[in-house]
Amino acid sequence: MCIWDTAGQEKFRALSRNFYFGSHGVIMCFDLTKEITEEEILDWHEEVTNNIDKSCCKIIVGTKSDLADAEGHASKKLAQIAEKLDLRYLETSSMTGKNIVEIFDIIVMEVERRQAVFRNGPEGSFLYQERNSMSLSVVGNQHYDESRSGKCC
């Protein structure tokens, strides 16, 4: 499995389009400790959708759930938009390990399910032709934060 983390920084956004090609799955990550606008989420979704194969699976992830505000404003917004886009939504914490393994389990199971459908169906997809590897892209508004003393994100 190849995982491409594009970090979501605007200055690298044009480069990240190169990593979408051939991806079997895209994990769109959004920092729950920062203000998230619907426009920002929909922009990322459009960018991803315009640059991937239609059979590619997508998931929305809220990160840093251990640090998110008690009211859960960002969390509620992400969950509503994920539902509107008919996408799965999960919250994670790299500090506690919450849902980290589950995200990859979910996306790998979905890719395997789609492989069976597209290999056996009349509507083929170049992603699911006989291949042994899987490629995932991770995008969103995640930024490296030096104040976290070497911890992830």
Side-chain angles (χ1 to χ4, degrees):
M1 177 185 300
C2 297
I3 301 173
W4 302 99
D5 184 351
T6 63
Q9 295 177 16
E10 193 61 39
K11 64 184 176 183
F12 298 120
R13 199 160 184 175
L15 290 175
S16 59
R17 290 182 184 111
N18 297 324
F19 296 104
Y20 300 146
F21 183 77
S23 288
H24 292 82
V26 176
I27 303 168
M28 293 178 279
C29 298
F30 297 93
D31 186 339
L32 294 173
T33 65
K34 297 188 177 357
E35 181 67 29
I36 303 170
T37 66
E38 183 171 354
E39 181 181 3
E40 179 182 14
I41 299 162
L42 294 176
D43 282 350
W44 275 109
H45 181 261
E46 181 180 1
E47 161 122 356
V48 166
T49 302
N50 289 339
N51 289 286
I52 60 171
D53 186 78
K54 66 180 179 191
S55 59
C56 182
C57 56
K58 299 174 280 194
I59 188 169
I60 293 180
V61 173
T63 64
K64 301 181 187 175
S65 63
D66 57 301
L67 300 174
D69 66 79
E71 293 83 33
H73 297 321
S75 177
K76 289 175 188 169
K77 187 178 292 185
L78 280 172
Q80 289 169 347
I81 294 170
E83 185 176 345
K84 184 168 130 179
L85 296 171
D86 197 27
L87 298 176
R88 184 93 183 246
Y89 172 68
L90 277 128
E91 293 182 4
T92 64
S93 168
S94 59
M95 291 288 270
T96 67
K98 175 185 171 187
N99 285 335
I100 301 296
V101 171
E102 289 80 359
I103 288 172
F104 291 99
D105 286 346
I106 288 166
I107 207 152
V108 167
M109 284 189 291
E110 180 61 18
V111 167
E112 288 176 345
R113 185 191 70 76
R114 290 175 187 217
Q115 282 177 331
V117 169
F118 282 98
R119 278 192 186 142
N120 299 323
E123 184 182 317
S125 168
F126 79 92
L127 286 182
Y128 301 111
Q129 294 168 0
E130 297 300 319
R131 282 192 185 185
N132 293 323
S133 65
M134 180 186 302
S135 177
L136 300 176
S137 294
V138 181
V139 301
N141 73 345
Q142 299 298 291
H143 302 284
Y144 177 70
D145 183 352
E146 292 181 31
S147 68
R148 294 206 34 148
S149 303
K151 295 178 177 73
C152 176
C153 307

